[in-house]
Amino acid sequence: MEYDNFITHSIDLYMGKPKSGKTLIAGSYPKPLLYISVGNDGGGRVLLMKYRSDVAKGLIKVKNLKNDPMVLGKIKKTSIEKLAEVLAELRKPNADEFKTIVIDTIGGLQDDYKFAIETNKGTKASMQEFGEIQMMMINIKDNMKRFSEEKNCTFVWCTHTREQEVYETSGLSKELRIVPDLTISTGIKYMKDASNIFYCCRKTVILPDNKRDVEFLTYVGPHPLIDTGTRDITLEHGAFIKNFTYDKWQKMVEEGKLLPENVLEINNTSPEMAKEIEE
C-alpha cells in the first residue's frame, strides 16, 4: 500500500483593510512569483516599488484580470473566468512555473462576477444568482487548491475585511468579528482551505521626538475577534508581529513558536484596542 503526504496544498490567507501591508508581505514569498491583480486593486504599483530588483530580473510577473468592457450593456467574460484560463495555461507543458501565485484580492473576484450579473440583467442579483456567484467562487477556489497540489506551488490569497455581528462558538452571546470581505458561506469555505490565516493592520507610533509614524503589524495565531489561525505552528495564543515577512514566518515555523524579538507587547486585547490598532 502507498501512503499519502501529510501536506497536500499550500495556501496562506491575508486579511486586512486597504494599505495594511498585505501585498508587501505577499511579495516577500519565494520566487519566481506571479502576482494576479483582480479588478482595480492597485497593489501592482506597491509591488513594483518595493521589489523593483526582482521585477527587473524577471522573478516577479504580473497579470491584471478585469471584467471585459461593456458592449451594448453586456459583459462577456469576468475576471474569475479569466483566472480559470490563466491556471489552464499554466498547466500546459512548457508553461512558466511559479513557486508562488498571489491573488489580490479574492473578494475582487466575487465583486466582479456579481457586477457582471447585475449589469447583464439590469437589476440586483437574486437569491438564485447569489447561489451562482457562490458556486463560481467555490469552483475557482477548488481549482487553485488542485493547482497548488499538482504544481507544488503556494497560493497567497489577499482579501479586504468587514465587521460582522455573529454568535460566538458557544452560541451563548453575540460578538463583533472581523471577517473576510466575502459572503458568509463563501468566506467560511475559503478559510477552511487556507493553511494559515493572518490579519494585517497598521498602528500609529510616537517617536522619541514626538513625531508620529506607522508600524505595520500582522496577527499570527488565534485571536478572540478575528478568525486567524495557523496549521504550520500549533499556537494556543496569538500575537501581533512587527514587519512580518515570509522569511520571518519560516523562521517561526522552524522554531515552532513566535519569536519574542518580533512580537508587539499588548496588554489589552479588547475590541477598543483592536479598533485602535487598526486605525
Side-chain angles (χ1 to χ4, degrees):
M1 178 185 294
E2 290 188 6
Y3 296 95
D4 298 322
N5 293 328
F6 282 94
I7 298 176
T8 53
H9 61 282
S10 176
I11 301 172
D12 287 346
L13 171 60
Y14 288 89
M15 304 188 295
K17 287 188 175 182
K19 298 179 176 60
S20 58
K22 301 182 298 297
T23 304
L24 290 176
I25 296 172
S28 72
Y29 271 66
K31 315 300 186 295
L33 180 149
L34 176 61
Y35 175 76
I36 298 179
S37 176
V38 180
N40 296 298
D41 184 73
R45 181 186 296 268
V46 175
L47 208 62
L48 175 62
M49 295 300 106
K50 176 69 174 177
Y51 301 100
R52 189 179 292 274
S53 175
D54 286 335
V55 172
K57 295 174 184 175
L59 296 176
I60 298 180
K61 303 289 188 182
V62 64
K63 287 288 291 184
N64 297 312
L65 303 185
K66 301 179 183 179
N67 286 355
D68 282 349
M70 279 188 290
V71 177
L72 301 177
K74 302 292 184 182
I75 295 173
K76 184 177 181 180
K77 190 177 293 183
T78 65
S79 59
I80 198 169
E81 293 165 310
K82 293 179 180 181
L83 176 56
E85 291 177 350
V86 169
L87 297 179
E89 284 292 323
L90 292 176
R91 283 186 167 98
K92 291 182 178 179
N94 302 319
D96 291 337
E97 294 188 358
F98 297 95
K99 291 183 178 179
T100 305
I101 297 179
V102 179
I103 310 296
D104 196 1
T105 64
I106 53 174
L109 295 169
Q110 176 181 276
D111 293 343
D112 279 1
Y113 197 78
K114 177 175 177 287
F115 179 78
I117 284 180
E118 294 181 340
T119 298
N120 291 345
K121 67 177 290 191
T123 59
K124 294 289 186 181
S126 64
M127 290 298 295
Q128 181 177 352
E129 286 161 336
F130 268 106
E132 178 185 344
I133 296 168
Q134 179 178 342
M135 180 190 69
M136 290 294 290
M137 288 294 293
I138 298 307
N139 286 344
I140 198 64
K141 172 189 69 68
D142 292 341
N143 193 341
M144 289 186 279
K145 183 179 174 181
R146 288 193 304 272
F147 188 97
S148 173
E149 185 172 357
E150 294 165 7
K151 298 293 186 178
N152 192 27
C153 169
T154 295
F155 274 86
V156 178
W157 290 339
C158 298
T159 182
H160 296 146
T161 54
R162 59 188 175 87
E163 294 179 348
Q164 179 186 348
E165 189 179 42
V166 297
Y167 278 101
E168 61 180 5
T169 53
S170 68
L172 298 178
S173 60
K174 284 188 175 182
E175 59 187 12
L176 193 65
R177 299 186 69 83
I178 297 174
V179 297
D181 191 18
L182 299 165
T183 62
I184 296 174
S185 56
T186 299
I188 290 172
K189 289 179 172 62
Y190 269 75
M191 288 190 292
K192 173 181 173 292
D193 281 341
S195 311
N196 305 286
I197 304 175
F198 307 98
Y199 175 71
C200 300
C201 60
R202 303 190 307 179
K203 181 181 186 299
T204 301
V205 295
I206 308 298
L207 301 177
D209 57 3
N210 289 326
K211 290 184 179 179
R212 291 175 177 264
D213 200 357
V214 171
E215 199 165 50
F216 286 91
L217 305 174
T218 302
Y219 199 87
V220 180
H223 189 284
L225 302 176
I226 315 168
D227 288 322
T228 50
T230 59
R231 288 175 176 160
D232 290 344
I233 303 180
T234 302
L235 297 171
E236 292 185 5
H237 307 285
F240 281 103
I241 305 299
K242 296 177 284 187
N243 300 316
F244 189 77
T245 65
Y246 176 81
D247 287 343
K248 283 186 179 180
W249 171 234
Q250 291 309 296
K251 190 173 181 181
M252 294 175 197
V253 172
E254 184 179 343
E255 297 280 342
K257 62 182 180 180
L258 302 181
L259 304 180
E261 62 268 24
N262 297 320
V263 173
L264 178 72
E265 295 294 336
I266 297 178
N267 296 324
N268 185 357
T269 57
S270 66
E272 292 77 11
M273 174 59 74
K275 185 175 180 60
E276 178 184 339
I277 290 173
E278 185 168 336
E279 292 174 348

